[in-house]
Amino acid sequence: MREASPQTIYLKDYTFPEYLIDSVELSLVLSEEDTRVVSKMMMQKNPDSENRESLLELAGEELELISLAIDGKALSDDDYQLSEEHLQIAEVPQEQPFILAIENKINPKANTALEGLYLSKQMLCTQCEAQGFRKITYFLDRPDIMSTFKTTLIADKDKYPVLLSNGNKVAEGELQNNRHWVTWEDPFKKPCYLFALVAGDLSCIEDKFVTMSGREISLQIFVEAEDIDKCEHAMDSLKNAMRWDEQVYGREYDLDLYMIVAVSHFNMGAMENKGLNIFNTKFVLARPDTATDSDYEHIEGVIAHEYFHNWTGNRVTCRDWFQLSLKEGFTVFRDQEFSGDQTSKAIKRIEDVKLLRTRQFAEDAGPLAHPIRPDSYIEINNFYTLTVYEKGAEVVRMIHTLLGVEGFRRGSDLYFQRHDGQAVTCDDFVSAMEDANAIDLSLFRRWYSQAGTPELSVKQVYDSEQQCLTLEMQQSSSPTPRQQTKKPLHIPVKLGLINSDGTTEKINYQSRPVVEEIVLELKQEKQTFEFNNLASKPVVSLLRGFSAPVVLKMEQSLEELAFLVRHDSDTFNRWEAGQKMSGTIIFSLIEAIQKSEQLKFNNLLLSSLSHVLQQDWEDLSYLSLLLSLPDESYLASQMKIIDVEAIHEAREFIKKSIAEGLESVFVSLYKQNHKDESGCFDAAAIGRRRIKNLALSYLSSLDNQQFYEFSEQQYHTAKNMTDQLAALSLIIESKHPSKEICLQQFYEQWQHEALVIDKWFALQACSRSSQTFDTVKTLTQHSAFSLNNPNRVRSLIGAFSQSNQLHFHAENGQGYQFLVENVIALNRINPQVAARMVVGLTQWKRFDYERQQKMKTALNQLVNTAEISKDVFEVASKSLL
Ligand SMILES: [Zn+2]
């Protein structure tokens, strides 16, 4: 916590480190409240540094220094200076390497911010990214300092029988007073943000993986004893990810051991520490009766993500934190592709784009807009954003689209070969892609420095005499904070043409070979593309697969969209046409609501959906996406001034109208797919559950006793969490008579499963019921709620403020006040998580005048709070600009 105006750090100010740390020997005597750390660092002046001063400054926060020595000689109080954030040593050797030894003390139990070494239940564990290592000991805590680590952990044998750190276990032994020790050695140089240790009474499942070169790797997942039966899926996912990275990228695992530990108190999703990943339990633990299909999918994706970091992040790391997207964008792209290969590419792509367009586009359009490589920050923890991760992945995906599969692989091979063991920049990544393919991506680089979502406007002109189709494309990007003028970007636009009978039209473009699909490269503000030999006007399918993170503006009639829903062979655009169609209809209803006109249903949508339903579908998950309406938050993102009530009313009206029109179809879909399933995680079963629960959701909107019974019966007999939770959510969203009983019963059934109880909180926080605000307020007093647990905070306060726009943005402003009170309380406990909760207030400019005033008042309250953390200060103050 600090009171002085927090300092901004700029990318342009980057300089080489003045000293290097070649190796570190750490020894920690662990205890809950008094952990002793001894660090011996082999250091030397960096030959690349121009600074000739002999001052050494190390970062360190909330540490109690015990002693300091250089080459065995103790330093006196006059030799160094301590401040809240630094340790400065006036004179260190310049000509030869030296050993700096530091002894200090820390209190893990008092560490509620969960950065550095902290206590999660009975377990001691670490989180060092981005700057947590400085809360363990004084260090050059920056990613371009790469060192080898040898770590000895000493602790009580009963309390902490398991002692883990990075690398391979090299020695262990017993000590007096019921204590034991273990030494770990990591032969790979790494930045300190990848350091980890875990001490606790943990159970473990073990498996093996044989790499492509025939090495046997031991795989271990550590959890608390009661969770040992929930690790199988995580282990399978890990092995699949290891195999995939060998097949697709030629990357093999390097240590002999790969460990994952699940902890219940964790700020993020998971952390890729070398050889010792630390995970939020949410992304490890799954059993069919406790985890939904989407939990299973997330676990698979996150396990893979952290594994893939071993090459994209650990072996090749970031030079500075501005380059975060170098590791995150690339790794998210890799995990997206992996997940698509495991189940369904079509579904994965649609879901990723949904997330991008509702959440990241909002970030891009709001006060916190920043490029995927930001220019400045106050608190780096605030830049673990959707922009850096998701848009970062889109930028890598565009390179992939431009280079093709083989070209991209050549580029990534060169990148790994050139930079293995180095800390590099986003520019180095793009250069490797260019050099391996002999192409020029200089214009493309603007994606790294330019914030905001570009708009792509397209006009089609068909000349029947010339048999020529012309597409006039124009790109523009609105100003964003701190970036008023924008330059044209290099945008890959994937295109297909469809004939009026639904067949694919061959594409003649310039002198290129005739193809069925083409990637056009838009590089200027305005560009025209001509296609010849077209006997009749084809229907254009543009931006296939969502080939660039842009907003596409192209006039398309409802009939044209309905045609694409029937015939587009691109799975993304087919779904997109349906979304545009229902979106257009919902917006006309919103207009009618705002003018107090009577609502009329457009039957074109019904006939389009019936047509879809008449086809034979193998992929029921895809079918359920085709039948789903756009989310309220996506609809909101397309409105200039968001009208939460009208959005809700219009969407409910259309949902009910569809249910009325297709009632019997939904009943038979439900009955056909409602099987007695134990929840196996395979694409067919997931598809059945998805379509069945979608059908039930439509039917529930009819407020009919018969369908209430469907939900209740499903709720009571479900053998898997997907079905149980889907039924419960429909019960509490409707006027179902058993609402309260089911909620209470669900709590009693699952009170010992923390992750299920998170769902119980989230379900109530997201409810559209008129009681929701009071319920949420009461739930903050529930014995199972605690501000000290980030998962609980996210499931109640996060879910309410970010996923329940109807009630959070209630006209009277009570939602905003509720959030502010909780952020202030949380700011004292965990600034990083507190700052993430502020996001609900950042979009104030998108609301009507009264709401704007209330949201601004709330943000001002935060800025003016005494002892506000720099995390919360940065988000709140920038939001007000
Ligand atoms: Zn990551």
Side-chain angles (χ1 to χ4, degrees), residues 129 270 272 305-306 309 312 327-328 331-332 335 384 389:
E129 186 177 1
E272 70 263 22
H305 178 96
E306 307 308 335
H309 267 316
T312 48
K327 75 176 179 79
E328 295 306 340
T331 306
V332 171
D335 84 56
Y384 285 73
Y389 278 66

Side-chain angles (χ1 to χ4, degrees), residues 57-61 63 85-87 133-135 137-141:
E57 185 179 83
L58 300 166
E61 288 175 29
L63 305 173
E85 297 183 6
H86 294 106
L87 165 65
F133 194 76
R134 63 185 62 184
K135 293 183 169 183
T137 186
Y138 295 96
F139 205 73
L140 296 176
D141 187 355

Side-chain angles (χ1 to χ4, degrees), residues 814-834:
Q814 61 185 11
Y816 308 145
Q817 275 312 305
F818 167 80
L819 182 64
V820 164
E821 283 159 25
N822 280 286
V823 169
I824 291 173
L826 193 55
N827 173 66
R828 289 189 283 269
I829 297 168
N830 188 330
Q832 191 179 340
V833 174

Side-chain angles (χ1 to χ4, degrees), residues 758-829:
D758 286 338
K759 298 179 195 307
W760 181 79
F761 276 103
L763 208 58
Q764 297 177 78
C766 294
S767 169
R768 307 295 192 247
S769 142
S770 59
Q771 308 300 312
T772 295
F773 179 73
D774 293 334
T775 308
V776 169
K777 242 186 140 168
T778 313
L779 282 174
T780 58
Q781 305 304 316
H782 194 282
S783 60
F785 183 77
S786 161
L787 285 176
N788 288 65
N789 185 334
N791 282 357
R792 263 311 122 80
V793 170
R794 286 184 280 256
S795 68
L796 184 63
I797 295 163
F800 176 67
S801 61
Q802 290 162 38
S803 304
N804 193 345
Q805 61 180 21
L806 184 67
H807 291 304
F808 175 65
H809 293 288
E811 225 177 340
N812 59 17
Q814 61 185 11
Y816 308 145
Q817 275 312 305
F818 167 80
L819 182 64
V820 164
E821 283 159 25
N822 280 286
V823 169
I824 291 173
L826 193 55
N827 173 66
R828 289 189 283 269
I829 297 168

